[in-house]
Amino acid sequence: MALFKREVRVTKSLAMNGKETGAIVGVKGALLGRIIRMDGEVEYVVGRDSSESEVVIDSDNVEAKHCSIKYVQVDKNYVVCNLSDGDVIADGEEIAKGESKILQPGTRIVIGTPSNEIRLG
């Protein structure tokens, strides 16, 4: 006895397509619930000014160009650089202005204030 009245075709979902991508996942604040996919070696600037930033957080504690995030596909990690005088805190460790850190997927990053938090996917 068949379980289906017609032929069922199973396809791979986009999540299982084998393509390695990174992501910025909004955990708190302006980006809450948003997922921004990061293909290849593209650098995304996070900040308050939409003319200078690809990822916009409308908050007084976030500078026009606050930080940058790049997914390094070959290493499956991220490079985060603080471009501002404001806070960029990765899993409780501050990233100083002009400093870059290599971070792993799952790292939580506070941008400007604890009410703005993302997770690297």
Side-chain angles (χ1 to χ4, degrees):
M1 185 164 118
L3 294 174
F4 302 101
K5 290 186 178 183
R6 60 184 172 181
E7 180 182 345
V8 176
R9 189 171 146 196
V10 178
T11 60
K12 286 195 237 176
S13 74
L14 290 174
M16 301 297 289
N17 69 5
K19 185 177 180 184
E20 295 291 334
T21 63
I24 298 170
V25 180
V27 176
K28 292 181 187 175
L31 297 178
L32 177 64
R34 286 193 54 205
I35 299 173
I36 299 147
R37 295 280 175 213
M38 305 176 75
D39 291 329
E41 303 283 327
V42 178
E43 182 175 65
Y44 291 77
V45 174
V46 180
R48 186 178 64 237
D49 187 344
S50 62
S51 69
E52 297 188 50
S53 304
E54 289 79 24
V55 180
V56 178
I57 299 176
D58 188 16
S59 172
D60 292 338
N61 297 320
V62 175
E63 294 187 23
K65 288 175 69 172
H66 202 90
C67 65
S68 66
I69 302 172
K70 181 166 91 171
Y71 178 65
V72 182
Q73 193 168 3
V74 68
D75 297 329
K76 297 181 181 149
N77 61 27
Y78 296 82
V79 177
V80 177
C81 180
N82 185 350
L83 304 172
S84 71
D85 291 320
D87 286 340
V88 177
I89 301 170
D91 283 344
E93 184 180 330
E94 184 173 355
I95 301 173
K97 181 178 183 176
E99 183 180 20
S100 294
K101 291 270 187 184
I102 297 171
L103 303 172
Q104 300 304 310
T107 301
R108 289 179 173 265
I109 301 173
V110 169
I111 299 171
T113 179
S115 63
N116 291 314
E117 186 175 323
I118 62 170
R119 181 178 53 78
L120 300 176

